[in-house]
Amino acid sequence: MTSVAPQPVGPDATIGILGGGQLGRMLAMAAARLGFKCHVLCPEPTSPAFDVVRRVTEADYSDKAALDRFADDVDIITYEFENVPAETAAFLAARKPVLPDPKVLATTQDRLAEKSFVASLGIATAPYAAAGSESELADALSSVGRPAVLKTRRFGYDGKGQATLHSGDDALAAWTAVGRQPSIVEAFVPFEREISVVAARGRDGKIQSFDVAENEHRNHILKVSRIPAEVTPAVAGEARRIAGRIAEAFDYVGVLAVEMFVVADGAGHSVMVNEIAPRVHNSGHWTLDGCSVSQFEQHIRAVAGWPLAAPVRHGRAEMVNLIGDEIASYRQWLDVPGACVHLYGKQAVRPDRKMGHVTRVFP
Ligand code: AMP
């Protein structure tokens, strides 16, 4: 792939964002605060990010003419989701700098490649094995043991494309449940808590990570993040070290999030990587209200070639997602002293759809 070498851009630049969800919306709002203009490309006509930017392109990611016009209009390009098709990224990278480098996508779009990458850095993951076909599934299950989690290699999020296998569960039913797609089998991790680190890496290689978030999921979807996580300083230090190591190994520019499990290990704890998100992350939304710099601003600073800020947290923070019908409760939240309400402007309410979030900071 021929890539255009990135140069730092000034606040008069236009930043292109691939993807128009709430992450793109909040990135664009942070960019606007720094003076940038944004242009969002997304196929979905009612994209939340369309409402807050100067220019929008409503087009498919494979529409080369639209991609060409988009690239012409912007100075640099970034993305708000990891499933940007490789061909789209390559097409754009030949025209304008795309940051983070699209090579990161090839690894993070595929759970098997991602797990091998993490393992190659000497960082722990749940024991795993590839299950490319139904016949490989039995071998993978016997090597990993039960309980296990079957996950599709690609396009899984918020628990989609996943099935848990306890002893006695029918492997074929799980295989069918995930759509009979190339998958991996992971040992079920009896974690004590789930945490994440949102870290930024600048073009100069400097890393700034936010405090460790502790995440509570419901139906596999993030419901609450609490910051700082109730972990020992050793665990927090290890989690931040792991995120920094991953960012360095990717030669990453921008914000990434690493989701991890904390497992009781004798008298202490160990940390295992579950997933890497090469983008801003839901568990970092608290930074909008609870920190001197948000994850969105850090990402914009990084991709623009600006220095990163050293984050200063304002207090203990809690972020609650408003999922599906819960959006109706936004009015109650408006009356809660200190609550910061964020609504994504999504028109259709669907179960499991992230509609907004609320942050509270306790100084
Ligand atoms: P993922 O899509 O991999 O982020 O998984 C979504 C959620 O499922 C995680 O946040 C965990 O709560 C749970 N989960 C995923 N993998 C495992 C595992 N190997 N062991 C235990 N729980 C898991």
Side-chain angles (χ1 to χ4, degrees):
M1 187 194 306
T2 347
S3 303
V4 179
Q7 295 298 321
V9 294
D12 55 340
T14 300
I15 300 177
I17 301 174
L18 297 171
Q22 65 268 21
L23 300 180
R25 177 180 171 105
M26 291 184 273
L27 278 171
M29 292 197 288
R33 210 184 72 161
L34 297 177
F36 295 106
K37 319 279 183 286
C38 288
H39 181 162
V40 169
L41 185 141
C42 187
E44 175 56 49
T46 59
S47 296
F50 282 179
D51 298 338
V52 301
V53 293
R54 176 176 165 114
R55 204 158 297 139
V56 308
T57 296
E58 186 193 317
D60 198 82
Y61 295 112
S62 60
D63 180 341
K64 297 259 165 74
L67 292 177
D68 233 345
R69 286 194 302 274
F70 172 74
D72 261 355
D73 182 55
V74 303
D75 297 289
I76 51 171
I77 299 171
T78 188
Y79 42 89
E80 60 124 44
F81 72 118
E82 56 272 50
N83 287 319
V84 174
E87 234 188 285
T88 307
F91 184 89
L92 291 171
R95 286 157 178 78
K96 288 288 160 69
V98 178
L99 296 154
D101 191 306
K103 70 175 193 276
V104 170
L105 295 171
T107 306
T108 54
Q109 282 174 358
D110 178 350
R111 286 188 194 272
L112 184 60
E114 183 176 285
K115 285 249 162 11
S116 341
F117 167 75
V118 171
S120 76
L121 301 177
I123 298 169
T125 67
Y128 66 93
S133 62
E134 197 184 312
S135 56
E136 264 182 41
L137 176 61
D139 289 342
L141 272 169
S142 46
S143 88
V144 163
R146 294 189 189 214
V149 187
L150 176 66
K151 300 181 178 178
T152 55
R153 283 176 59 170
R154 302 176 75 85
F155 302 116
Y157 68 99
D158 287 348
K160 292 185 177 61
Q162 281 191 31
T164 306
L165 279 149
H166 297 279
S167 69
D169 284 351
D170 180 13
L172 186 55
W175 181 246
T176 307
V178 303
R180 312 173 79 86
Q181 295 174 58
S183 297
I184 62 166
V185 174
E186 275 177 34
F188 184 88
V189 178
F191 56 80
E192 199 176 276
R193 51 191 94 229
E194 292 190 77
I195 60 172
S196 57
V197 174
V198 174
R201 186 167 180 275
R203 289 199 198 165
D204 57 4
K206 288 202 181 119
I207 293 177
Q208 290 286 357
S209 60
F210 292 100
D211 286 304
V212 182
E214 182 160 341
N215 303 319
E216 190 185 313
H217 294 82
R218 281 188 212 155
N219 302 327
H220 296 273
I221 302 172
L222 182 66
K223 179 60 192 163
V224 185
S225 289
R226 296 183 182 88
I227 299 91
E230 268 193 43
V231 293
T232 61
V235 166
E238 175 64 358
R240 291 169 85 140
R241 188 195 67 79
I242 287 172
R245 178 78 190 91
I246 289 172
E248 257 160 26
F250 275 138
D251 195 17
Y252 198 85
V253 174
V255 163
L256 60 66
V258 184
E259 295 183 57
M260 301 172 228
F261 298 130
V262 179
V263 185
D265 189 358
H269 293 92
S270 58
V271 178
M272 282 179 187
V273 168
N274 176 36
E275 206 169 30
I276 303 168
R279 54 170 169 79
V280 287
H281 191 257
N282 197 168
S283 67
H285 289 2
W286 67 275
T287 57
L288 282 168
D289 309 299
C291 198
S292 56
V293 63
S294 74
Q295 61 166 345
F296 304 100
E297 178 174 334
Q298 284 291 58
H299 185 79
I300 296 296
R301 283 179 178 230
V303 300
W306 290 18
L308 299 178
V312 178
R313 185 163 48 81
H314 299 321
R316 190 169 67 74
E318 190 171 296
M319 189 279 323
V320 179
N321 270 337
L322 302 179
I323 300 167
D325 287 343
E326 290 168 359
I327 190 63
S329 70
Y330 83 90
R331 284 188 161 275
Q332 279 123 270
W333 282 108
L334 292 175
D335 288 332
V336 175
C340 306
V341 178
H342 299 257
L343 306 177
Y344 305 149
K346 293 184 183 175
Q347 293 170 14
V349 180
R350 287 197 292 271
D352 295 351
R353 193 170 197 209
K354 291 173 182 167
M355 305 296 296
H357 72 268
V358 179
T359 313
R360 281 187 294 170
V361 183
F362 308 94

